[in-house]
Amino acid sequence: MSESCLRLESTYTNLPHIFFSKTSPIPVQKPEVVIFNHALAKEMGIDLSQFSEQQEAEFLAGNLIPDGCTPFAQAYAGHQFGNFTMLGDGRAIVLGEHITSSGKRFDIQYKGSGRTPYSRGGDGRAALGPMLREYLISEAMHSLGIPTTRSLAVVATGETVQRENELSGAILTRIAGSHIRVGTFEFASLHEDKTITQALLEHLIDRHFPSLKEKENQPLALLEAVIEQQADLITHWMRVGFIHGVMNTDNMALSGETIDYGPCAFMDIFAPDTVFSSIDHQGRYAYANQPYIAQWNLARLAESLLPLMDADRENAIEMAEEALNAFEDIYKSKWLSMMRSKLGLVVIRKEDEKLVTDLLDWMHQNRTDYTNTFRNLSKPELPQEAPYATESFEAWHNRWQNRLGEEEQGWDSSVTLMASVNPAVIPRNHKVEEALQAGEEGDLKLLHDLVKALENPYQEGDHLIPYQSPPEPTEKVYRTFCGT
Ligand code: AMP
Ligand code: MG
């Protein structure tokens, strides 16, 4: 098979050998494409039109590897729920780095492609439901304007995987700026050989932070840049009510993309302590904890970089601490600015924070839907019933109206701003579960319809109505599963 449909390189494998293992996907019995992302393929300049349907499925399952490729699995470590573990791609293989026609570099990775040297006890495989879930949510995140890994396709393998039940197997083709994680640096720093971390640092800077090449203290500059990048990412998550669910350090990508859609979910009713993940018993990764966890993860990155920052450890610690301590203010200011735009405000006023937190408190007390409340604010008329038609809401609303009066822009501009950051539709868990369940049973209509509805999430339309309501009590999803 020729590789003319892809322009593949593999700069990652120029790193010291401990960072990867060359290994190939294990062929599957009967691959069949379940869903293919034509728009993404086009955007990436990946042209599979020369393939027959069968060849396309074989390619997307990793059964057919383009000539000249050297697929590999990546080594990494990570803190999972606070505990350090050796990990690595136990069920994923990078085919290579595809260069788009505009010169951008993206990893093409198969997830669920069979055992690798890092599989530990696992089977290296993935089930159809969770792979469709990653496809659906990652693409929805992209449409919401949030940095994320993307999904090119899901193929059913024609094989089963044994979990609690026997499930249909599948492989997801993931596209990512890279798969370098905080955990990759933790892995590097274990080797007590500075040149290993240095090599990874140079690779990462080349790939994602070229402007830092000029900096005198590159590890410190990188830490500061990643702090900024992750503060931006978490601000986006908070904006749309996204709960990642497993913010382990191996799931924090230094490309700045949201990665690893396991038990993630979107909040319906506003409640800061919302947790969905069935494995997050302590609420460590609850909605409101996400910024604190990001800072905790960034501290693990900083520790890995200490030996490169300064030969004197005390000096290095001081520099790293100063950078990490700045996270709080950096995040807070990004969050506040995001919340201002959710309220149609541009001018900065000291009292804005209280205006925002009072609204959030009101939403929490009245159990209103996070997405729809913000969207309702910019409608010509608010709903005429409780909890909107109450004194408590009217008091807040009057303050907000007065505050809008201090803006130079008019109401129409505020509405445009609000409509650009407050989604009209999100992948609500009950709709996701409903579509996945049907998909697992072979009926893909609900899934395709949901994917389509989520393509333009800021654009109101009648076709969105079935996806906008919060769940009825009987439809509520309380727990989401990793489904590994
Ligand atoms: P995750 O929770 O998806 O971030 O995965 C955590 C670690 O477990 C990673 O190193 C994965 O590669 C590995 N892993 C997850 N599922 C499997 C599986 N079925 N077989 C082998 N390794 C797995
Ligand atoms: Mg992971």
Side-chain angles (χ1 to χ4, degrees), residues 154-210:
V154 175
V155 290
T157 57
E159 299 175 5
T160 54
V161 291
Q162 192 57 47
R163 299 293 181 261
E164 262 174 47
N165 302 317
E166 195 169 80
L167 303 170
S168 304
I171 295 173
L172 172 93
T173 311
R174 179 154 76 181
I175 308 281
S178 74
H179 286 87
I180 303 164
R181 308 137 192 272
V182 169
T184 318
F185 275 88
E186 294 181 273
F187 173 80
S189 73
L190 283 179
H191 293 80
E192 292 179 4
D193 171 355
K194 280 201 318 199
T195 66
I196 287 182
T197 311
Q198 180 66 32
L200 183 63
L201 175 75
E202 285 170 16
H203 177 81
L204 179 69
I205 287 180
D206 263 346
R207 210 155 158 179
H208 295 301
F209 302 93

Side-chain angles (χ1 to χ4, degrees), residues 76 80 87-91 119-120 122-125 163 250-251 260 484:
Y76 49 86
Q80 300 190 303
L87 295 161
D89 289 333
R91 56 161 172 173
S119 295
R120 299 174 290 164
D123 61 1
R125 293 299 187 192
R163 299 293 181 261
D250 52 302
N251 291 339
D260 239 333
T484 47

Side-chain angles (χ1 to χ4, degrees), residues 88 153 167 172 188 192 221 224 271 295 346 395 437 439:
L167 303 170
L172 172 93
E192 292 179 4
E224 288 167 347
Q295 189 183 28
V346 176
Q437 209 170 335

Side-chain angles (χ1 to χ4, degrees), residues 157-400:
T157 57
E159 299 175 5
T160 54
V161 291
Q162 192 57 47
R163 299 293 181 261
E164 262 174 47
N165 302 317
E166 195 169 80
L167 303 170
S168 304
I171 295 173
L172 172 93
T173 311
R174 179 154 76 181
I175 308 281
S178 74
H179 286 87
I180 303 164
R181 308 137 192 272
V182 169
T184 318
F185 275 88
E186 294 181 273
F187 173 80
S189 73
L190 283 179
H191 293 80
E192 292 179 4
D193 171 355
K194 280 201 318 199
T195 66
I196 287 182
T197 311
Q198 180 66 32
L200 183 63
L201 175 75
E202 285 170 16
H203 177 81
L204 179 69
I205 287 180
D206 263 346
R207 210 155 158 179
H208 295 301
F209 302 93
S211 65
L212 302 187
K213 276 187 199 159
E214 316 300 322
K215 298 280 180 184
E216 210 172 297
N217 191 330
Q218 291 190 5
L220 179 61
L222 176 82
L223 177 63
E224 288 167 347
V226 175
I227 285 171
E228 191 79 26
Q229 175 204 64
Q230 294 299 325
D232 276 327
L233 184 62
I234 306 294
T235 303
H236 273 299
W237 292 0
M238 303 307 271
R239 173 170 66 82
V240 299
F242 176 75
I243 305 167
H244 183 285
V246 225
M247 282 181 74
N248 296 333
T249 56
D250 52 302
N251 291 339
M252 187 183 253
L254 299 176
S255 59
E257 295 164 322
T258 310
I259 192 170
D260 239 333
Y261 293 89
C264 62
F266 283 74
M267 185 164 65
D268 294 299
I269 288 168
F270 180 71
D273 58 355
T274 306
V275 176
F276 287 100
S277 167
S278 61
I279 52 173
D280 187 2
H281 305 295
Q282 315 286 330
R284 178 181 170 92
Y285 300 142
Y287 173 77
N289 266 1
Q290 297 186 118
Y292 303 102
I293 294 294
Q295 189 183 28
W296 191 91
N297 289 349
L298 289 162
R300 307 289 79 74
L301 174 67
E303 280 164 6
S304 309
L305 291 168
L306 285 178
L308 303 184
M309 274 186 206
D310 198 302
D312 180 317
R313 197 171 164 85
E314 293 305 311
N315 281 348
I317 291 176
E318 206 173 302
M319 285 185 235
E321 273 181 354
E322 195 182 327
L324 287 167
N325 289 340
F327 177 87
E328 248 167 82
D329 285 346
I330 293 172
Y331 170 73
K332 177 87 177 282
S333 124
K334 287 182 193 295
W335 177 83
L336 197 50
S337 146
M338 173 275 285
M339 280 294 175
R340 263 194 203 98
S341 37
K342 280 176 89 71
L343 293 179
L345 306 174
V346 176
V347 175
I348 298 174
R349 289 274 187 270
K350 210 166 154 274
E351 66 274 15
D352 292 345
E353 186 176 351
K354 181 94 172 77
L355 187 70
V356 169
T357 53
D358 283 352
L359 175 65
L360 294 176
D361 288 346
W362 176 86
M363 286 168 63
H364 191 194
Q365 277 159 19
N366 290 280
R367 301 177 56 75
T368 71
D369 184 82
Y370 183 65
T371 303
N372 293 349
T373 303
F374 277 105
R375 198 74 190 184
N376 280 340
L377 290 178
S378 51
K379 288 192 174 151
E381 261 189 70
L382 281 163
Q384 298 296 306
E385 70 271 352
Y388 296 97
T390 56
E391 266 179 38
S392 68
F393 185 73
E394 271 167 30
W396 180 87
H397 195 260
N398 287 340
R399 275 165 65 201
W400 177 50

